[in-house]
Amino acid sequence: MYVAVKGGEAAILNSYRLLADQRRGDSALPELSVAQIQSQLKLAVDRVMTEGSLYDPELAALAIKQAAGDLVEAIFLLRAYRATLPRLGVTRALDTARMVLDRRISATFKDLPGGQVLGPTYDYTQRLLDFTLLVETEGAGVPAGKPAEPSSAAPAPRVVDLLNQEGLIETRPVPPGDPAPTDLTREPLRFPADRATRLQNLARGDEGFLLAMAYSTQRGYSHSHPFVGEVRLGTVAVELEPEELGFAVSIGDIEITECEMVNQFAGSKTQPPQFTRGYGLAFGHSERKAMAMSLVDRALRCDELGEPVESPAQMQEFVLGHSDSLEASGFVQHLKLPHYVDFQSELELVRRMRASADAAARAAAATPAEGDRP
């Protein structure tokens, strides 16, 4: 037994060395630095921060480098590190109405107070490979034109406020005595989950899974006809209110993407026809994630709005129970680990069943048919 353990340990250590060699790649090429990943692979860094539940671009870039670009593994690394950090306090809810905007678009109104801000987006690119990026020169791949304008700090009213002026969209005032939301990083997920818990789960959920669920809602699987009320990208202040001070202080700014999706609602016995909304928020520039999250959030509100639960995207236990990339990855990849004993027992069972079936077939063949008997 000791020899087997030592042999396995040596193999594992060799695997570590091979992994490091694979990560490094061709030693004749310069090594990719964490600063380069943080600066130039921003969208990957933002996804890792969002699903890793930790806003730290440098650590997210480090995790991506350590994982050799495997974002799910990088998310695992970041979450594992996050679990070791002390809790120093709870910040106030982000006031996204005071966001300094880099991008702000709406698909519902052309002319908005504050204007549409196109900002950085792939929406209008031609999706053709840019071979100038193969040339390692300063400015390669950058189109000619005027430099980007600075972020807008001017107040920009929310699109849903325009609908609210006519009473055409639901309002959700905070009720008195509203309890603090459950912290999913400390408490297990329980069903039925309230909306605050669902939003936490969706924010940490795998982008690909949420995208598929959101896509299903647009193909008739939740009777949803959505419009992008607004997508906002920008920086917002994080504020903490220490007990000894009695007032809030800003401890820094973070970049976030926020999406409010506007959906039709035919009304119910207690509510008139109106628009309802779905909500999504993610760290950094994560539009696809925020939009998918808002679509799934709206689908999961079916019970609250008196709608029939008929599709997977409306089922809490299905969506929330399968959205986490780490749980999904772990459950699938654990199949690579040794299952020798389980398989041998299954193998023996199948052999016995086959033997029994063969014996029954031989007995049936040896027994004369009813019409063949004398």
Side-chain angles (χ1 to χ4, degrees), residues 20 27 71 84 89 108 114 117 120 164-165 168 189 195 199 214 286 297 331 352 359 373:
S27 59
L71 297 189
T84 69
T108 52
V117 182
N164 192 37
Q165 290 174 5
L168 296 178
L189 178 63
R195 192 180 182 198
L199 287 171
S286 306
D297 168 53
F331 219 84
R352 289 200 304 269
R373 292 178 180 176

Side-chain angles (χ1 to χ4, degrees), residues 101 104-105 110-118 152-158 162 230 232:
L101 296 172
R104 185 248 192 156
I105 60 167
K110 179 181 178 182
D111 297 316
L112 292 171
Q116 305 258 13
V117 182
L118 194 59
S152 172
R158 296 178 182 280
L162 302 178
E230 192 170 11
R232 291 180 171 221

Side-chain angles (χ1 to χ4, degrees), residues 91-112:
T91 64
R92 282 186 167 186
L94 297 178
D95 186 359
T96 57
R98 294 161 50 198
M99 185 187 301
V100 178
L101 296 172
D102 291 315
R103 173 165 161 78
R104 185 248 192 156
I105 60 167
S106 172
T108 52
F109 293 98
K110 179 181 178 182
D111 297 316
L112 292 171

Side-chain angles (χ1 to χ4, degrees), residues 129-267:
L129 283 177
D130 184 356
F131 291 99
T132 64
L133 295 175
L134 292 173
V135 182
E136 297 181 7
T137 58
E138 191 67 26
V142 179
K146 295 192 300 184
E149 296 182 359
S151 301
S152 172
R158 296 178 182 280
V159 168
V160 293
D161 293 338
L162 302 178
L163 294 171
N164 192 37
Q165 290 174 5
E166 299 182 57
L168 296 178
I169 193 165
E170 61 172 336
T171 57
R172 295 182 56 84
V174 178
D178 185 39
T182 301
D183 185 350
L184 271 185
T185 65
R186 292 184 167 187
E187 301 287 337
L189 178 63
R190 293 186 176 92
F191 299 104
D194 59 24
R195 192 180 182 198
T197 303
R198 298 198 304 262
L199 287 171
Q200 285 184 70
N201 180 284
L202 297 178
R204 288 158 54 92
D206 179 71
E207 182 177 311
F209 177 83
L210 291 184
L211 191 63
M213 289 290 99
Y215 180 44
S216 75
T217 69
Q218 295 178 269
R219 289 177 56 84
Y221 286 91
S222 72
H223 310 291
S224 172
H225 187 210
F227 299 90
V228 174
E230 192 170 11
V231 172
R232 291 180 171 221
L233 166 68
T235 55
V236 64
V238 178
E239 297 181 335
L240 187 68
E241 187 174 333
E243 293 182 4
E244 60 272 19
L245 293 182
F247 58 87
V249 294
S250 175
I251 59 174
D253 296 330
I254 63 172
E255 184 184 49
I256 61 170
T257 301
E258 181 184 44
C259 176
E260 287 197 279
M261 198 70 68
V262 176
N263 293 70
Q264 292 178 350
F265 177 55

Side-chain angles (χ1 to χ4, degrees), residues 15 21 31 59 74 91 108 113 197 208 215 228 249 267 269 297 335 340 348:
S15 176
D21 289 342
E31 184 175 359
L59 291 181
T91 64
T108 52
T197 303
Y215 180 44
V228 174
V249 294
K269 294 180 180 179
D297 168 53
L335 297 174
Y340 309 133
E348 184 60 30

